[in-house]
Amino acid sequence: MTSVARLAGVEVVYGAGRQALGPFDLDLAPGEIVALVGPSGCGKSTALRLLAGLEDPTRGTVTRTAGRGETSVVFQAPTLMPWADAVSNVALPLELSGMDRAEARAKALAALDQVGLAASSHVKPAQLSGGMAMRVSLARALVTRPRLLLLDEPFAALDEITRRTLAADVHRLWDQTRPAVVFVTHSVEEAAFIAQRIIVMSPGPGRRVGQTLMDAPLPRPAGFRTTEAFRIAAETISRDLSVSMGAAA
Amino acid sequence: MNRALNTLAPLALIAVLLAIWEAACRLTGVPAYFLPSPSAVAAAMIENGPLLLGSAWNTLATALIALACASLMASSLALIIATNRLLEQAVRPLAVALQVTPVVAIAPQVVIWAGLAHADRAIIALAVIVAFFPIFSGALTGLKATDPDLERLFDLYGASPWQKLTRLRLPSAIPFMLEGHKVAGGLAVIGAVVAEFVAGSGGSQGLAWRILESSNRLQTAKTFAAVIVLAIMGAGLHAVLEAAERATLHRFRGR
């Protein structure tokens, strides 16, 4: 099957010769969930921006079969328009693409319903809790039914209980349209729970240090966190991470 | 209890200061043209009430017209400039120069340009100049203060420059523009008063003219009364603009 997106030997160098990423390779199959794990500043988010087409690599090539309208991004902050209510925020990508307003809002309402926020459709972001705002952000990302969903540490600012609920939500939502997902995170446990493939990156410039496969079926129940497979995967990822940090020291 | 104390404390201080002032005037017998007693100022205020209120209205109307003109001009210019970096680089120093130049320094020339028979036009023009910068600066800052991640999202969803302007940058600028207008409101009053002073023709019959007129006639109590009316008017306008800002922000952000 052709990949949804591919990074081949990409390197990103910012001003003053500071290399943020690479060389780095990533081949993303349709419907696959990949987690990028690494310390701060290892270029995880840079890799994500390359995949989104929001940035160009200094060297190497980025190939994407998912077009711009088929790619969605969720950032660390919910990144909602504070002046617009939840449904208007979710309808934004559809309206920008020229969809009729009424139709866009109907689809946005359905997307909000999927994340359990239909009742809050006319509430503005300031009145939402952190977890609710992130759900609105997820609904906005999914309303276009993307083939490629990029999640840039979306739960980093949330408490542990909310993070776990949202991780389960990501699986449930993914199951509806099965987009390819790249999930950037600091958290070993989160990566092991959510992803089928976990790539550990070294501190800047980010390179691949190790890769762990998790073939447990998706969506995974909350009890998956107590299984042997989860424990082994978390240990392997942690070991890779220690190697990556050791290499930097 | 605390709240009541907070309200009462400044009022009590004012009452004490007024009492000391009144007593000092009466005990020392200082002439009224030098320092009128608070009771004399109050009497002057009552006696000249209609005249002072009429003048206050003239000054307020001048300030409000100037604020409206400045708002239109400064917001439009900021909008044009925000779309072009080079244009911004070119205009910003001129705008700053306009801001730091004292209005009294350019007022005589503006009065000449407006024509001596049209002092009112010169006064409005000068108040516009004073009120222009905070609105311009606020709008320009606001138009550029968009959340970079939101900007990326708009790019990702293929938004046109027009969509980015109307659906992202303008709404993002609203809180900054409201703040700019609040500051500009106070400055427009100051600009109007300074301009009335410099024009000095009495053509506008604003509060500054009453101050000039009464002080030239050594009617110091009336001068004080006019200054107090001016201060109350400025504070009132500021309070109204602040309430409008708060109400708009509340609607805007939903809290």
Side-chain angles (χ1 to χ4, degrees):
Chain A
M1 209 184 273
T2 53
S3 64
V4 176
R6 176 183 293 144
L7 303 179
V10 290
E11 288 177 65
V12 174
V13 182
Y14 292 122
R18 188 175 70 81
Q19 181 154 359
L21 177 71
F24 186 71
D25 300 286
L26 176 66
D27 204 346
L28 204 59
E32 166 181 46
I33 304 184
V34 173
L36 298 183
V37 185
S40 297
C42 76
K44 308 185 291 282
S45 299
T46 307
L48 216 63
R49 284 199 292 275
L50 293 178
L51 288 167
L54 290 170
E55 201 174 313
D56 292 320
T58 314
R59 280 180 283 278
T61 55
V62 181
T63 323
R64 300 185 309 142
T65 59
R68 278 218 156 178
E70 297 172 313
T71 305
S72 284
V73 184
V74 175
F75 296 102
Q76 183 173 343
T79 319
L80 303 173
M81 300 178 288
W83 55 87
D85 59 14
V87 70
S88 306
N89 266 293
V90 177
L92 177 79
L94 300 177
E95 287 182 10
L96 288 179
S97 71
M99 186 183 283
D100 169 67
R101 190 176 143 86
E103 192 186 348
R105 289 180 82 83
K107 289 195 173 193
L109 261 179
L112 276 175
D113 191 33
Q114 281 179 359
V115 296
L117 284 177
S120 305
S121 61
H122 292 293
V123 171
K124 293 196 173 168
Q127 291 155 303
L128 296 168
S129 70
M132 287 162 93
M134 192 43 82
R135 282 208 174 88
V136 174
S137 191
L138 271 174
R140 177 181 57 195
L142 290 164
V143 78
T144 55
R145 302 181 84 80
R147 287 178 59 213
L148 177 57
L149 176 61
L150 304 167
L151 306 174
D152 191 359
E153 298 191 50
F155 311 146
L158 302 173
D159 63 88
E160 183 63 26
I161 294 171
T162 311
R163 294 167 76 115
R164 289 189 173 201
T165 319
L166 280 171
D169 282 348
V170 166
H171 278 163
R172 189 172 53 74
L173 295 166
W174 166 85
D175 203 24
Q176 291 173 6
T177 55
R178 302 218 164 193
V181 178
V182 179
F183 184 85
V184 163
T185 178
H186 276 116
S187 160
V188 170
E189 284 76 20
E190 210 161 74
F193 180 79
I194 285 184
Q196 295 158 312
R197 185 150 68 102
I198 300 103
I199 296 170
V200 174
M201 294 171 72
S202 63
R207 295 191 176 92
R208 180 184 300 208
V209 177
Q211 174 168 287
T212 306
L213 297 177
M214 274 291 266
D215 46 15
L218 295 173
R220 293 167 186 156
F224 179 68
R225 285 192 174 83
T226 58
T227 61
E228 188 64 8
F230 179 84
R231 190 186 60 77
I232 293 171
E235 271 180 20
T236 316
I237 302 164
S238 296
R239 202 166 42 240
D240 285 347
L241 209 50
S242 305
V243 170
S244 109
M245 297 308 286
Chain B
M1 180 68 191
N2 254 345
R3 225 175 129 176
L5 271 180
N6 282 342
T7 319
L8 281 178
L11 292 177
L13 180 65
I14 290 171
V16 168
L17 289 175
L18 285 176
I20 294 171
W21 179 2
E22 182 77 36
C25 284
R26 284 174 192 241
L27 292 173
T28 59
V30 63
Y33 71 85
F34 187 77
L35 181 67
S37 66
S39 57
V41 173
M45 202 181 279
I46 292 164
E47 191 187 330
N48 298 290
L51 185 72
L52 290 177
L53 281 181
S55 297
W57 169 247
N58 285 342
T59 301
L60 183 64
T62 305
L64 290 178
I65 293 171
L67 184 62
C69 294
S71 170
L72 195 69
M73 289 159 65
S75 304
S76 315
L77 186 65
L79 205 58
I80 295 167
I81 281 177
T83 55
N84 188 321
R85 221 183 139 70
L86 193 67
L87 211 55
E88 186 197 339
Q89 298 290 345
V91 171
R92 231 184 213 286
L94 288 177
V96 172
L98 193 67
Q99 189 227 356
V100 297
T101 307
V103 68
V104 284
I106 49 173
Q109 189 56 47
V110 174
V111 172
I112 290 171
W113 283 336
L116 291 175
H118 298 293
D120 50 337
R121 292 182 194 169
I123 292 166
I124 290 176
L126 289 164
V128 168
I129 291 172
V130 177
F132 180 87
F133 191 77
I135 302 178
F136 172 74
S137 179
L140 197 55
T141 307
L143 284 167
K144 298 198 305 178
T146 49
D147 176 346
D149 279 342
L150 262 179
E151 193 117 20
R152 285 192 191 107
L153 270 185
F154 271 70
D155 286 338
L156 185 74
Y157 296 136
S160 66
W162 177 249
Q163 283 175 321
K164 271 173 97 169
L165 180 68
T166 56
R167 303 202 54 161
L168 177 62
R169 300 180 79 181
L170 271 178
S172 300
I174 283 177
F176 295 85
M177 291 176 81
L178 288 171
E179 172 72 20
H181 279 79
K182 191 176 70 182
V183 176
L187 287 177
V189 172
I190 294 174
V193 171
V194 170
E196 281 175 17
F197 263 109
V198 177
S201 67
S204 69
Q205 301 278 318
L207 274 176
W209 176 248
R210 294 292 160 232
I211 292 170
L212 269 178
E213 182 190 52
S214 56
S215 67
N216 285 343
R217 293 177 187 167
L218 295 183
Q219 296 169 328
T220 313
K222 191 176 162 188
T223 306
F224 272 62
V227 170
I228 290 168
V229 170
L230 182 58
I232 293 171
M233 191 184 85
L237 179 62
H238 186 267
V240 167
L241 288 171
E242 194 165 61
E245 180 192 26
R246 210 176 310 128
T248 313
L249 281 182
H250 182 83
R251 244 182 90 83
F252 185 72
R253 292 185 181 137
R255 64 160 177 196

